[in-house]
Amino acid sequence: MKSIFNYIIYKYAATIFLTGLLLVFIGCDLDETQEVTTLDNLVWSDEFDVDGAPNSQNWNYDIGDGTAENIPGWGNNELQYYTDRPENAVVENGVLLITARQESFENRNYTSARLTTEGLLEQQYGRFEARIRLPYGQGYWPAFWLLGVPETIMVDGEEVLEEWPAVGEIDIMEYLGDEPTNVFGTLHGPGFSGAESISKEFTLENDRFDTGFHVFGIEWSPTSVNFYVDGNIYQTLTREDIAEETDGEGEWVFDRPFYILLNVAVGGNLPGNPTSETVFPQSMIVDYVRVYN
């Protein structure tokens, strides 16, 4: 199992490729003929109804700045140190607060939190949905996303764990704090990761994502992934789309269990660093996370 470390690197390096610097977004194009959701059997949820630390039966923490994984800044020049302190992740008044702070901590100038359901909730296919209010300002980079659970494979006669992007990644919602009307959804896999990932942007009309709650979700089947915001599907990706977008080089790797991640990154290659105008602290406020099949 020599590649556990490598997997960890790749898991966090996924942040590098989560969006990448060269992503080319396709414009928002709603298809009103599509049925938004078909799966209504709730199999897991966190409604964040109990004040205090996030429920440890639902959530783990990723801790640090990536140095322990040999990717300082999580491989993306991010500025935050992730902690499990209540200052960075806490449930209050019926919501989860993931708060980015400007403070000196463990040789970093910002702190935040990254929660995952790895080892706790891992599901193949289904509907994953969260109701979230986002922060505002240059340098904020919150996300609601999924990573595939690696399988053990044989390489040169030795058992190893699969690495990213072989495990796949589904970015249900990413957002840059200085673009408060836009979010985007993305798939990553072999042949279409990082700068070559397949992504599409959704633009909110006459509203902003930092001034109210919005519902971000996917409905994922053996043949497709639908991305939606507030009941509007803005992107559907199929096996055929992957093949077409990658000239046949891309591999559909979304037939395995995935787990959930919620985080607020600060700075880095994609959003750029905060400026003197960026207000700290601010939180990604999560009303609920629900999973259906």
Side-chain angles (χ1 to χ4, degrees):
M1 305 291 280
K2 68 178 183 182
S3 71
I4 291 176
F5 175 71
N6 288 338
Y7 168 63
I8 292 171
I9 290 177
Y10 273 84
K11 184 181 73 169
Y12 295 119
T15 302
I16 304 172
F17 303 106
L18 186 67
T19 45
L21 287 173
L22 300 177
L23 280 181
V24 176
F25 300 120
I26 305 168
C28 177
D29 183 17
L30 302 182
D31 183 348
E32 296 180 355
T33 67
Q34 291 182 297
E35 188 173 13
V36 177
T37 60
T38 61
L39 303 174
D40 295 316
N41 180 37
L42 184 67
V43 296
W44 184 96
S45 70
D46 199 326
E47 305 293 328
F48 305 112
D49 288 336
V50 179
D51 286 0
N55 186 342
S56 61
Q57 294 184 340
N58 290 342
W59 302 102
N60 293 312
Y61 293 89
D62 289 333
I63 303 293
D65 63 357
T67 299
E69 292 77 18
N70 287 329
I71 48 171
W74 302 107
N76 191 44
N77 293 317
E78 296 169 28
L79 304 177
Q80 78 287 339
Y81 190 100
Y82 287 130
T83 87
D84 59 358
R85 304 176 307 158
E87 291 90 339
N88 296 115
V90 68
V91 176
E92 291 180 353
N93 301 317
V95 295
L96 168 67
L97 303 171
I98 298 179
T99 302
R101 296 180 177 275
Q102 186 174 26
E103 59 179 333
S104 178
F105 189 89
E106 297 288 348
N107 298 317
R108 290 278 174 171
N109 293 322
Y110 300 89
T111 61
S112 185
R114 181 152 93 175
L115 278 64
T116 93
T117 66
E118 185 177 15
L120 300 173
L121 181 281
E122 298 172 343
Q123 177 169 305
Q124 179 174 329
Y125 311 134
R127 174 181 158 200
F128 295 74
E129 184 177 281
R131 185 170 183 262
I132 297 173
R133 176 173 172 171
L134 295 163
Y136 171 73
Q138 168 76 39
Y140 280 103
W141 184 11
F144 168 40
W145 51 302
L146 310 179
L147 274 176
V149 177
E151 298 176 354
T152 301
I153 59 175
M154 297 297 293
V155 175
D156 297 330
E158 189 172 356
E159 286 189 344
V160 299
L161 283 175
E162 293 175 296
E163 300 172 342
W164 191 93
V167 296
E169 178 181 327
I170 304 172
D171 302 328
I172 300 172
M173 180 281 297
E174 285 185 274
Y175 164 89
L176 304 180
D178 60 344
E179 299 179 16
T181 63
N182 299 327
V183 294
F184 44 98
T186 306
L187 293 184
H188 301 255
F192 56 102
S193 61
E196 304 301 325
S197 61
I198 301 173
S199 187
K200 190 169 185 178
E201 188 173 72
F202 176 87
T203 298
L204 194 63
E205 301 293 338
N206 304 315
D207 202 351
R208 297 164 58 116
F209 288 109
D210 61 320
T211 56
F213 286 92
H214 296 272
V215 176
F216 307 97
I218 61 163
E219 193 160 87
W220 164 33
S221 77
T223 58
S224 66
V225 181
N226 285 343
F227 294 79
Y228 61 90
V229 175
D230 293 334
N232 297 302
I233 293 179
Y234 68 98
Q235 174 172 231
T236 297
L237 292 174
T238 66
R239 292 173 183 268
E240 291 74 22
D241 292 329
I242 299 300
E244 182 177 347
E245 293 284 343
T246 62
D247 294 326
E249 298 296 321
E251 179 184 353
W252 177 272
V253 290
F254 307 103
D255 296 315
R256 69 174 68 219
F258 277 60
Y259 59 89
I260 301 169
L261 300 96
L262 290 166
N263 70 288
V264 178
V266 178
N269 295 334
L270 183 64
N273 292 340
T275 70
S276 59
E277 304 297 319
T278 307
V279 175
F280 287 94
Q282 287 189 62
S283 302
M284 177 167 74
I285 306 172
V286 185
D287 183 27
Y288 62 74
V289 181
R290 296 171 181 166
V291 180
Y292 304 81
N293 65 16

